[in-house]
Every structure is written in structure tokens, then in C-alpha cells.
Amino acid sequence: MPDITPTTATPPTTATPPTTPTPPTTAATGTPVYVIGGGPGGLAMAAALRERGLRSVVLEKSGAVGASWRGHYDRLELHTTRKLSALPGLAIPRGYGRWIGRDDMVRYLEDYAEHHRLEIVTGVEVTRIERPAEGAETGTRWLLRATGGRELAADAVVVATGFNHTPYVPDWPGRDTFRGELLHAAHYRNARPYSGRDVLVVGTGNTGADIAVDLAEGGASPVRLAVRTAPHIVRRTVLGWPAQRTGILVRRLPRRAVDRAARRMVPMTVPDLGAYGLPRPDSGLSSRVTEGAIPVLDAGLIKAVRKRKVQPVAAVASFDHDKVVLTDGTVLTPDAVVAATGYRRGLEELAGHLDVLDERGLPRTHGRRPATPGLHFTGYTNPISGMLRELALDARRIADALDREDRRRRRGRGH
């Protein structure tokens, strides 16, 4: 079996050996808990396990922690507050401000890995999780197949490869004939290349809204925003009160009650943009969240739409060489199209054969409840209360569950 030697992050690509004792491995086989993914979820998980005296090894396919954050557009800021976005065991520095920017978030993740002395292996991608073959002498529940022919025996595995894993672009008719520039939002960095150009942004989630505003402020013109389903838009803060705190308060309330309250409260702070082509949605805010559609937290979209710097238009129906045909029959000839059309989780090849995913490719269970004994998933929901906050809570819950299981095994082995 090829060797895989973890280092302690300082940051991971230039790590030095730990000066503190390595935590014990799990009792059953002496193997560490393998955490797949070196983003916020994976790092939080490893830190929570270390706090409980369990050794973990983070396997990250890229060359450094926080790879997805490094690739986001320059303008990106968290829509969750600094205080409610910290991972277990390390606050985010006050100097980063209330709304954390992309570069500061990457710096925080690097500091987090170093602060907790996490064991991280970079450049290793786990491609498949399997049960050991019948009769195999591994004595463990899982066999991880990874790049370089590696086979890693594991008794406990936590999958934390991220909600935004694989960029998704719809297979629009005629898409391959488009003569302009077509890129997914994952590959958009800033507005400089688009100054003075006609750009169509497709998708009205937070990413699409941010990129449309960034383009308008950066000199692109015209900037259009293709809307398939009108989004709920809420102010990021109202009189200093962040929308995230409201999301936390109402998350466990009945969906209909939240829908009714939102219909009354949102119009008090968000103007009706129907005259500009962006009407209020018919469905309830909480109902949309349960379908996976988080409200757009306004960071300039309302102002840009009212000033007609961003022009909402109908959804994309098809492409035709230099033209984009919309569902209302409108024909556009943009220089560039930015598809802010979301991501797929990319779990099918990794774990689809284990009967732990639903028809959408999402884990049937996540958090402290294992999908199957010894296999946990974290970070595959998009909660209204904030992704990072929920990752932190999940990490503690999963670590507690694995710690209890390890203690039971130790007692059973007479340790």
C-alpha cells in the first residue's frame, strides 16, 4: 500500500512537524478518522475531533486548504457576520470587519489549520469509498481509493467535499454554437475584462446578483440579469440587525408561519421592483428555502436595478450563434454570458454505490446521524441560518458521535 504521510498545517503546503503530541487514533483498528476535503467543513471537523482526543487526517485534492474560496470572484464577501461565521476553537479577527472578504477568509482558514495543528495531506483526491472485500484482513469498515494508487483503510470517514463542488451549466439548445464568451461563475474573477461590453448574467442567486452588480460597477454595459424564477430579496441588515440572526430565530418555526411573517415584513424594507422586471415571488420565503433557494441578501442589487444599471430579463431558452433567445421571445446579442447556474455536489462516483444518496445526489442523512455506520457527511445543506455556522455545529455533533462510538469500542476491548 503506498505510503501517505500527513503533515501538520503551517499552512499545509509548507508544513512542519507538530511540536505537540499526536492525538490517539480510534480504538478499533488504530486508524485515524479520514476527513475528505480541506475546506471549512473539513477543517472544522478535524479540529473538533482533535479537541476530543481523536486523531484525524484531512485529505485535500488541491495544493492548499480552502481551495474553493481561493477560486471565487474578487468581490465576494460573506453574507453572514464575522461573529457567526467562525469555526470551532478560533475567532475570526475583528480587523477583518463585519462582512468577511474572500482573501481574509482564505487567510483565516490557513491560520485555523495552523492554530489547531491539523494533519493535512494535500494533492490527494479520494475517488471512491468502498467496503473492504469479503475476507479482506483490513479489520476496518472502509477502504478509500485515492490518486496515486493509494488504498487507505478507515473505520470512520467524514465526507466534507463541499456544497459547491462541480460547476453546472445547463445544456441549453445551441449552447455549443455560441460565438461569444460563455463561462460559469466559478471562472469569473472581476469586471475588468468586460468594461464596455454587453454581458448577460444567468441566475438570480446571491452569486448571480453579486456578479451583475460587480459588472455594472466595473463599467460593463449593458448588464442584464436573466431571471427564471423571481428570487426573494432581503436586506443584509436592517437597523444593524443582520438577516442571518433572523434566519437563526425562525429556522425551526413552521414553514407557513415564516412565509406569512415574511410577506408582511419584507415589503417594509425592500421596495417592489416589479416595474423594473423583478417582481416579488409568488411562493413563500421559507417554502423556497426548503426547496434549496436561499434569499438574495442585498449587497447592491436593489440600487443597481432601480438605477437600471442591471436590467432583469426573461430566462434563457436557447443560443443561436451570436444570439441568445429568451423565453419571452426576446433576442439578445451579448458579448459574454456568465452562467451563475449553481453547482452539483459530485458525490455519485465517490459514494453513489453505497445507497446513501437521494435522487438529487445529496446525502440522505448528514451531521451526527451517520449515512451508514462509520460514514458521515457534512456541508450538504444550504441553511438560512448560515453555512459556516451550521458547519461548526455539525463538526461538534459528529465529533461527539464518533467519540462516543470510540469509547464504546475501547470499553469492549478492555481499554
Side-chain angles (χ1 to χ4, degrees):
M1 181 183 299
D3 182 52
I4 184 165
T5 305
T7 55
T8 304
T10 61
T13 50
T14 58
T16 57
T19 57
T20 54
T22 299
T25 53
T26 54
T29 60
T31 64
V33 177
Y34 281 107
V35 180
I36 304 175
L43 299 182
M45 189 69 253
L49 288 166
R50 186 177 181 88
E51 183 182 6
R52 288 152 182 78
L54 294 177
R55 182 185 173 206
S56 67
V57 174
V58 178
L59 304 175
E60 167 55 44
K61 69 178 182 179
S62 73
V65 299
S68 63
W69 282 91
R70 297 172 192 274
H72 284 313
Y73 51 94
D74 297 349
R75 179 190 177 92
L76 178 67
E77 286 184 345
L78 290 179
H79 292 313
T80 55
T81 66
R82 172 178 52 82
K83 289 183 178 180
L84 296 175
S85 300
L87 302 179
L90 184 67
I92 299 176
R94 288 177 59 90
Y96 289 1
R98 193 179 198 190
W99 311 106
I100 313 303
R102 181 200 62 187
D103 292 346
D104 284 336
M105 188 65 195
V106 170
R107 190 174 301 114
Y108 170 70
L109 295 177
E110 291 174 342
D111 292 345
Y112 188 85
E114 181 178 358
H115 175 80
H116 288 290
R117 310 293 295 176
L118 302 182
E119 294 185 74
I120 300 169
V121 181
T122 58
V124 173
E125 180 179 8
V126 178
T127 56
R128 193 171 174 89
I129 303 171
E130 296 180 351
R131 300 182 191 278
E134 189 173 347
E137 297 181 358
T138 64
T140 58
R141 288 171 171 161
W142 303 109
L143 181 67
L144 308 184
R145 298 195 181 277
T147 49
R150 296 176 176 87
E151 295 181 353
L152 308 173
D155 212 55
V157 178
V158 182
V159 181
T161 52
F163 192 81
N164 295 338
H165 185 271
T166 305
Y168 168 73
V169 178
D171 189 18
W172 290 296
R175 186 186 73 180
D176 294 338
T177 71
F178 184 55
R179 294 170 182 164
E181 181 182 358
L182 173 61
L183 71 156
H184 189 272
H187 306 296
Y188 175 87
R189 293 296 171 265
N190 56 60
R192 284 193 294 273
Y194 305 98
S195 179
R197 299 175 67 189
D198 183 329
V199 185
L200 173 67
V201 180
V202 184
T204 50
N206 281 290
T207 296
D210 279 355
I211 290 176
V213 172
D214 190 47
L215 285 163
E217 293 179 351
S221 181
V223 177
R224 299 182 179 93
L225 181 62
V227 182
R228 184 181 62 180
T229 304
H232 285 275
I233 303 174
V234 299
R235 298 287 188 182
R236 191 161 64 171
T237 60
V238 176
L239 299 177
W241 177 265
Q244 182 188 6
R245 288 200 177 275
T246 301
I248 293 169
L249 292 174
V250 305
R251 190 179 180 201
R252 304 298 181 186
L253 295 178
R255 183 180 61 190
R256 291 182 180 177
V258 178
D259 285 347
R260 286 195 299 269
R263 286 193 188 98
R264 296 189 183 98
M265 300 299 294
V266 171
M268 296 180 183
T269 58
V270 176
D272 186 353
L273 300 176
Y276 302 90
L278 199 58
R280 297 192 192 279
D282 296 328
S283 58
L285 186 151
S286 183
S287 297
R288 289 288 301 281
V289 169
T290 60
E291 298 168 1
I294 295 297
V296 171
L297 297 175
D298 179 55
L301 181 65
I302 294 173
K303 180 179 179 181
V305 169
R306 296 182 79 180
K307 290 190 172 184
R308 301 192 185 276
K309 291 185 176 181
V310 172
Q311 305 169 29
V313 296
V316 171
S318 63
F319 288 74
D320 183 13
H321 300 290
D322 62 338
K323 301 179 180 64
V324 178
V325 182
L326 306 182
T327 53
D328 64 358
T330 301
V331 177
L332 305 177
T333 55
D335 299 310
V337 176
V338 181
T341 45
Y343 295 79
R344 295 293 182 261
R345 295 345 120 207
L347 294 172
E348 287 81 3
E349 183 178 351
L350 182 70
H353 54 287
L354 299 174
D355 193 30
V356 295
L357 306 180
D358 63 19
E359 65 280 358
R360 300 167 297 169
L362 294 170
R364 290 199 178 96
T365 60
H366 57 89
R368 64 170 168 250
R369 290 180 57 201
T372 189
L375 179 62
H376 291 260
F377 291 86
T378 181
Y380 297 98
T381 61
N382 195 13
I384 195 172
S385 50
M387 174 72 79
L388 291 170
R389 177 180 181 273
E390 294 302 320
L391 286 175
L393 294 173
D394 255 6
R396 295 185 177 102
R397 293 163 182 158
I398 296 172
D400 285 341
L402 291 175
D403 185 38
R404 287 193 297 269
E405 182 179 354
D406 188 64
R407 290 175 185 275
R408 285 195 298 269
R409 287 179 179 164
R410 289 180 183 277
R411 287 196 297 268
R413 291 168 60 90
H415 290 188

